[in-house]
Amino acid sequence: MSSPVPQYDPVRIPKPDGPGAGDPGRGSHGLPDLAASGPTALRIVLGSQLRRLREAHGITCEAAGEVIRASASKISRLEHGRVSMKQRDVADLLTLYNVTGEAERAGVLRLARDAAQPGWWHRYGEVVPGWFEFYVGLEAAASRIRTYEVQFVPGLLQTPEYARAVIRGGHAAASDDEITRRVSLRLKRQQILSWTDGPKLWAVVDETALRRRLGGPGVMEAQLEHLIELASEPNIALYVVPLQSGYHAAAAGSFSILRFAAPELPDVVYLEQLTSAMYLDKRRDVEQYSAVMDQLCVQAEWRVPTTEVLARIRDQLARSY
């Protein structure tokens, strides 16, 4: 008897420059669905299905790797959705896992085919490292993003001039063309906030980041004015953790928590490092970071509206020239 496999009904994924380009990542009826969330979400679901099948048959990663001429670590990356799978490899694994039904195999292979489609960010491949490409895909599929930033204004809320200053600071040796490409990528990512069913964004920013001057005269003031405007958007909640709050639970650094509408996808905590990133999806880790995020919101300057805090910092910076 073949092993049961969840059925998958493929839905066309809109191309960035084709029909649906104004609202990428959404199905034809404007509702969030798994396939329209993009290839990263599909890879995670595919990997999860294959992991369940492997574990149900008591097969080790090493044994699965031998079948597709790969290492155990490669199987782990495949099962976590970090890399795409070849149709041949998926077919070989299904055979190993005793999935022999024609309809069942066809459903998983369709999922593998759609999961291998390039995301819109592939056109920026020369400036998107693999570890960050995975995050961009998750970001595009998320229904809720909660982020804490201690150094900079969150990327999804940056103005072009501020983004250029931040990126230039992190890539001092890059050419002007490369910086422009990186800025373009960041602005493209921001489009998810204008999608009809785009994610809800909770952004918690340390006051230190808002007082750090970047770019030339007026850049930081314009950035703060932009934040004041964005704070009125119904899908954006903005909090400022004041300097006088002292030490807090997230003093160790910035992080983001992503949640997805599809129940097949677990919440993910994203921790960015200098040349890599960590992705945590174990329930204990997610719950701990969620508790920290809740505490940060409590510590934020709630007695004064966020827009007033931003306006006060903007005016202070303007007078300091």
Side-chain angles (χ1 to χ4, degrees), residues 273-289:
Q273 301 167 342
L274 185 60
T275 58
S276 63
M278 291 180 61
Y279 296 88
L280 310 176
D281 60 6
K282 295 186 183 302
R283 177 173 296 181
R284 179 180 299 179
D285 292 330
V286 173
E287 289 178 349
Q288 185 169 346
Y289 276 92

Side-chain angles (χ1 to χ4, degrees), residues 190 226 247 310 320:
Q190 294 177 2
H226 184 57
Y247 183 87
L310 294 170
S320 65

Side-chain angles (χ1 to χ4, degrees):
M1 179 181 295
S2 63
S3 301
V5 178
Q7 294 300 303
Y8 166 68
D9 183 19
V11 178
R12 184 181 63 83
I13 301 174
K15 302 294 185 184
D17 295 322
D23 193 15
R26 300 292 140 186
S28 58
H29 300 289
L31 299 174
D33 61 54
L34 182 58
S37 295
T40 301
L42 296 180
R43 290 205 311 259
I44 295 174
V45 173
L46 174 62
S48 178
Q49 288 188 10
L50 293 175
R51 182 175 68 250
R52 287 196 296 268
L53 288 169
R54 178 181 60 76
E55 292 175 345
H57 287 79
I59 297 172
T60 66
C61 287
E62 288 78 7
E66 289 179 3
V67 170
I68 63 170
R69 300 157 295 282
S71 64
S73 62
K74 176 68 174 296
I75 292 294
S76 178
R77 292 196 299 274
L78 291 171
E79 291 182 348
H80 283 85
R82 303 295 172 81
V83 293
S84 60
M85 301 186 191
K86 298 178 181 178
Q87 291 272 306
R88 182 187 65 186
D89 291 342
V90 174
D92 289 344
L93 288 174
L94 290 177
T95 299
L96 176 65
Y97 303 152
N98 197 33
V99 179
T100 57
E102 183 176 346
E104 294 171 331
R105 291 177 66 89
V108 178
L109 290 173
R110 283 198 303 271
L111 174 56
R113 180 197 63 208
D114 287 351
Q117 296 297 314
W120 64 261
W121 51 90
H122 277 246
R123 69 176 63 181
Y124 295 92
E126 79 281 7
V127 295
V128 182
W131 55 267
F132 186 64
E133 177 183 336
F134 186 65
Y135 176 76
V136 176
L138 291 177
E139 190 178 66
S143 61
R144 188 181 77 176
I145 301 172
R146 303 180 75 188
T147 185
Y148 168 66
E149 281 289 350
V150 65
Q151 293 282 356
F152 309 109
V153 170
L156 292 178
L157 304 179
Q158 293 178 3
T159 65
E161 296 77 13
Y162 181 90
R164 181 174 294 274
V166 171
I167 293 170
R168 172 61 73 186
H171 302 274
S175 66
D176 289 342
D177 287 344
E178 179 181 337
I179 297 298
T180 297
R181 288 286 286 167
R182 291 181 180 276
V183 172
S184 177
L185 169 64
R186 187 157 301 182
L187 298 181
K188 181 74 173 179
R189 285 171 50 207
Q190 294 177 2
Q191 293 182 9
I192 63 173
L193 297 178
S194 62
W195 291 351
T196 303
D197 295 293
K200 171 76 173 181
L201 175 66
W202 273 267
V204 183
V205 188
D206 195 277
E207 184 178 347
T208 304
L210 302 177
R211 293 187 177 277
R212 179 174 290 108
R213 286 193 181 280
L214 292 171
V219 170
M220 195 64 215
E221 290 87 336
Q223 175 63 74
L224 289 165
E225 186 63 34
H226 184 57
L227 291 178
I228 292 172
E229 296 172 358
L230 291 175
S232 64
E233 295 294 329
N235 62 325
I236 297 176
L238 189 58
Y239 302 86
V240 177
V241 180
L243 289 173
Q244 60 263 34
S245 66
Y247 183 87
H248 52 75
S254 306
F255 65 93
S256 297
I257 308 172
L258 297 94
R259 173 163 292 179
F260 309 91
E264 299 92 338
L265 302 178
D267 290 1
V268 175
V269 175
Y270 173 73
L271 304 171
E272 186 170 320
Q273 301 167 342
L274 185 60
T275 58
S276 63
M278 291 180 61
Y279 296 88
L280 310 176
D281 60 6
K282 295 186 183 302
R283 177 173 296 181
R284 179 180 299 179
D285 292 330
V286 173
E287 289 178 349
Q288 185 169 346
Y289 276 92
S290 295
V292 170
M293 184 67 77
D294 291 339
Q295 183 178 341
L296 285 170
C297 291
V298 171
Q299 287 183 272
E301 194 167 327
W302 58 271
R303 292 182 180 84
V304 179
T306 298
T307 53
E308 293 186 20
V309 176
L310 294 170
R312 185 181 66 215
I313 297 174
R314 178 202 60 196
D315 295 343
Q316 290 172 349
L317 289 176
R319 291 195 298 268
S320 65
Y321 275 110

